[in-house]
Amino acid sequence: MKNLFTFVVTISLIMGSYNFFPANHFDAESVDQKAAETLTYKKVEVNTKEASSTDHRFIKAEEKKLLARLVQAEAEGEPFEGKVAVADVVLNRVEHEQFPDTVKGVIYQKNAFEPVQNGSINEPASNEAVQAVETALVDKEKNVELLYFYNPETATSQWIFSREVVKKIGNHAFAI
């Protein structure tokens, strides 16, 4: 008898909640049946690296400023396309399993970028560098494979020359 009473009370509470919280914002009869029939679901596997990294559109303002300062320091005097590609390298590294999961972590990774070592990362970014970062964030599919860049005329690391160059923009070679 006690179980029956509990069951009736539970059902009453559930049914009563429809009166207090009506679902009139979704009227099944008003849904376009043809559109509903074409709706399909896609199974997506989530990589833990992807899940933990920041979607490019939602990176913190502080990280955008840091990235713009790096672009300024690394690509001053380079064409706009080269500045965007430098930003893409950092963003691609954030997404890549071999690198840290944040823009700040990538930029400050030991020996990753010369401007961190020589202090020029602390200089203000130009408007063009800021715009290059914004462009890289919006058009994130353009240079998705790039993980490295260097100036072949000034690079001293023999290791960097072992990377496969995908494109050259201005004075920089961009590699995977």
Side-chain angles (χ1 to χ4, degrees):
M1 185 70 166
K2 187 176 179 181
N3 289 342
L4 179 61
F5 177 74
T6 304
F7 177 74
V8 170
V9 169
T10 304
I11 294 300
S12 296
L13 288 172
I14 292 171
M15 297 303 284
S17 70
Y18 285 104
N19 292 332
F20 290 105
F21 304 103
N24 60 3
H25 64 278
F26 178 74
D27 182 5
E29 294 175 7
S30 68
V31 174
D32 180 7
Q33 293 301 319
K34 185 174 183 181
E37 290 170 3
T38 61
L39 190 63
T40 59
Y41 292 95
K42 178 180 176 185
K43 181 179 175 183
V44 177
E45 292 183 23
V46 177
N47 177 318
T48 55
K49 172 74 173 179
E50 286 179 24
S52 67
S53 65
T54 312
D55 185 308
H56 294 319
R57 293 168 292 169
F58 300 109
I59 102 171
K60 297 175 187 171
E62 186 177 307
E63 287 189 317
K64 284 183 185 180
K65 290 177 185 176
L66 176 62
L67 182 53
R69 291 196 323 260
L70 179 76
V71 168
Q72 176 67 29
E74 286 283 9
E76 185 175 12
E78 295 294 320
F80 183 75
E81 181 186 6
K83 288 177 173 66
V84 172
V86 167
D88 283 332
V89 166
V90 173
L91 296 172
N92 292 344
R93 286 185 182 189
V94 171
E95 297 296 324
H96 197 275
E97 62 200 22
Q98 293 178 349
F99 296 94
D101 294 340
T102 64
V103 169
K104 184 176 181 180
V106 167
I107 290 173
Y108 286 109
Q109 188 175 21
K110 187 175 180 176
N111 299 323
F113 297 101
E114 189 176 334
V116 173
Q117 296 168 355
N118 67 24
S120 61
I121 187 79
N122 299 316
E123 297 298 320
S126 67
N127 288 338
E128 188 175 42
V130 171
Q131 186 57 46
V133 168
E134 291 298 330
T135 300
L137 291 168
V138 172
D139 193 16
K140 63 183 181 180
E141 300 300 320
K142 187 171 183 182
N143 294 312
V144 72
E145 73 279 2
L146 304 179
L147 290 174
Y148 306 98
F149 66 91
Y150 63 96
N151 183 331
E153 299 296 319
T154 61
T156 57
S157 167
Q158 290 303 309
W159 177 85
I160 197 67
F161 291 111
S162 71
R163 309 311 301 174
E164 179 186 342
V165 174
V166 176
K167 63 170 67 175
K168 291 184 178 184
I169 304 171
N171 293 318
H172 283 139
F174 292 86
I176 55 176

